[in-house]
Amino acid sequence: MSSRNLILILATSGFASTFSGRAVEPMVGIIARDLSSDPQTIALLSAAFALPYAFIQPVLGPIGDALGKERVMKVALSILFLALACSAFAPNAATLFTLRIIAGAAAGGAVPLSIALIGDRVEMAQRQIALSRYLVAVIIGQLAGSSLAGLLAEWIGWRGVFGLSTIMMALALTATVIGFRGALPGGRFDPRAAILRYRAILSNPRALFLFGSVFVEAIALFGIFPYVAPLLEERGGGGAAQAGFAIGGFALGGLVYSALVTWMLRRLGIGRILLGGGFFAGAALLILGTGGGWKLDAAALLLMGLGFYMLHNTFQAQVTEVAPGARASAVALHAFSFFCGQALGVVLMGFGLRNIGLTASTGVAALVIVCVGVAAATVLGRTARPATDAKQ
């Protein structure tokens, strides 16, 4: 299979799973009113999706290495389809939280395993560009989920948006089953071998630095997202549609990155890309802290999206080489770190908003992400070290 066809197949599930993951954020206020719940409680649906997504990774990674990444993806997408279909009929907040937990765990078998598959089939020299092409689908899914969902929710309701997510996932599952129908069956899952692979990966200092970097990156950048809609409503800046447009700016920033990545790699190099990413994201957080209108928030989030993908796409490409013999396991630990950071970031940002306010909270986050960029540029900007072969 050509790399182009591989990316097209993976893009369908990347788009659908990301849409379903991000669609809730602009609908927080609508869901809270419909289910008679507090907006800050409903905002935690983001963490309810992210935490199981994170904690399933140490399980899915070695299973994917042992049984075959394609096979595991098919099962995961099937479960995600069922969870989304049931979410459209959730009678109360407790049921919706339960279904989001199931959906988050199932979605963990989409993007991380796709990244590992690209790592398997695309040479390192072209891998960051190939990953950026795949990320276009993921980014468009984010854009549609964060902006289109807000608009649709005012027209067809939040249940209708979940219904749309279900249809998208059905199409993605069909494309995955057909596209990988000729995939060779994997072997047998051996827990002892999985533990040995993880031990080898975690003995690599470069891997530990990458996992730590994405963890802190996610805390700093993603904590603010579920609060964009409630904060806009509080200051009369708009409802779900305006919040969706603002959050959609982040995905637009990712598309800008995808258009520029080849030029950046050729002219700037990894070190400067990482440094610029940290400063762009930090500046965006400072702008968000001013508490302006949704248009200013959208501009800030566009800048944040550009900065984030300059950092994160580089981390992704690097992590695919820390353990070529156990690539799904390495990417799984990377995703585990990232989504744990996302979930913790929501909690910490909520604490900060209640106790020190918006400006101070985003200021602290800005300082943190700038430090991540500087540290990453210093460490990863050097010549890459030989990868650890963690195959057991």
Side-chain angles (χ1 to χ4, degrees), residues 81-348:
F81 165 76
L82 293 173
L84 291 173
C86 292
S87 296
F89 303 97
N92 51 51
T95 303
L96 188 57
F97 267 95
T98 301
L99 290 168
R100 290 304 282 174
I101 290 170
I102 296 171
V111 176
L113 287 176
S114 296
I115 292 171
L117 275 169
I118 293 171
D120 286 345
R121 303 189 186 191
V122 180
E123 294 296 325
M124 184 60 190
Q126 297 298 318
R127 195 172 300 159
Q128 187 159 350
I129 295 173
L131 284 169
S132 73
R133 299 295 179 254
Y134 165 71
L135 285 175
V136 168
V138 174
I139 293 165
I140 293 174
Q142 289 180 338
L143 178 60
S146 56
S147 56
L148 183 60
L151 283 172
L152 289 174
E154 295 187 345
W155 179 38
I156 61 176
W158 65 270
R159 297 182 189 276
V161 173
F162 273 111
L164 178 61
S165 295
T166 303
I167 294 171
M168 291 179 180
M169 187 51 59
L171 295 173
L173 178 59
T174 300
T176 302
V177 170
I178 294 174
F180 292 133
R181 64 185 181 277
L184 296 175
R188 185 174 60 87
F189 176 62
D190 182 353
R192 182 177 178 275
I195 292 172
L196 291 175
R197 279 195 293 267
Y198 277 138
R199 183 181 298 173
I201 293 167
L202 293 174
S203 69
N204 185 338
R206 195 174 185 87
L208 292 177
F209 178 81
L210 287 164
F211 301 153
S213 295
V214 295
F215 176 73
V216 178
E217 169 198 58
I219 291 175
L221 295 184
F222 284 84
I224 191 65
F225 278 84
Y227 302 104
V228 170
L231 287 170
L232 276 174
E233 288 187 7
E234 281 181 14
R235 58 181 184 257
Q242 287 74 24
F245 285 134
I247 296 171
F250 184 85
L252 288 176
L255 292 176
V256 172
Y257 167 77
S258 296
L260 296 177
V261 60
T262 303
W263 175 85
M264 287 183 179
L265 287 169
R266 185 173 63 248
R267 299 297 299 271
L268 301 180
I270 288 176
R272 290 179 181 175
I273 289 173
L274 291 165
L275 195 63
F279 278 101
F280 285 161
L285 283 163
L286 292 177
I287 296 170
L288 286 172
T290 63
W294 71 267
K295 292 180 181 178
L296 184 61
D297 283 356
L301 285 163
L302 189 154
L303 183 62
M304 183 191 288
L306 174 61
F308 166 74
Y309 281 103
M310 290 171 72
L311 291 167
H312 197 69
N313 186 230
T314 305
F315 295 153
Q316 286 176 324
Q318 294 288 318
V319 85
T320 60
E321 275 301 292
V322 298
R327 200 165 264 126
S329 297
V331 174
L333 286 178
H334 183 265
F336 172 78
S337 303
F338 179 63
F339 279 88
C340 280
Q342 277 201 36
L344 181 59
V346 173
V347 175
L348 291 177

Side-chain angles (χ1 to χ4, degrees), residues 55-80:
F55 283 106
I56 201 68
Q57 293 307 316
V59 178
L60 288 182
I63 289 177
D65 281 326
L67 304 183
K69 302 173 186 66
E70 299 92 339
R71 294 172 68 191
V72 175
M73 281 184 67
K74 293 173 187 177
V75 174
L77 294 178
S78 298
I79 296 171
L80 180 53

